[in-house]
Amino acid sequence: MRLRAFYSTILLFYNVYRARHGQPYYSLLQAIKQKVKSAVSYISDFEEELVKFARARKCDVRYEDMMMNEKPEERLCS
């Protein structure tokens, strides 16, 4: 059984269970998508703020340079 089909089956049984217990339909997949979208947005906003902060401090080090340099703090910002 493919993973996608497996999860679809689980979600189907989840809503069957909810219906039997008098609860309304709930799109669990939609809720998960919204949480992921929110997390991606948060990370994107954080990255933008980090770039603004680095530019304000006139930092010019690339990520690759930091990974190769054992003491990047010596040349991070001017």
Side-chain angles (χ1 to χ4, degrees):
M1 182 181 250
R2 299 181 112 174
L3 194 57
R4 186 175 185 175
F6 174 72
Y7 285 119
S8 295
T9 304
I10 288 175
L11 294 176
L12 175 69
F13 284 117
Y14 173 75
N15 278 307
V16 168
Y17 173 83
R18 287 179 60 84
R20 287 186 181 167
H21 288 85
Q23 297 175 335
Y25 175 83
Y26 179 74
S27 178
L28 192 56
L29 182 60
Q30 189 64 31
I32 292 169
K33 281 182 174 180
Q34 186 59 39
K35 292 286 185 180
V36 170
K37 184 178 178 181
S38 176
V40 168
S41 178
Y42 179 84
I43 291 168
S44 178
D45 291 346
F46 177 78
E47 287 175 343
E48 287 176 17
E49 289 299 316
L50 192 58
V51 168
K52 288 178 190 176
F53 179 78
R55 286 185 179 150
R57 295 193 54 169
K58 297 181 178 149
C59 297
D60 65 349
V61 175
R62 295 185 334 225
Y63 177 76
E64 294 84 15
D65 294 339
M66 285 179 41
M67 299 314 308
M68 298 181 84
N69 188 359
E70 290 184 14
K71 294 185 179 180
E73 60 276 356
E74 293 174 0
R75 54 172 276 218
L76 280 178
C77 303
S78 56

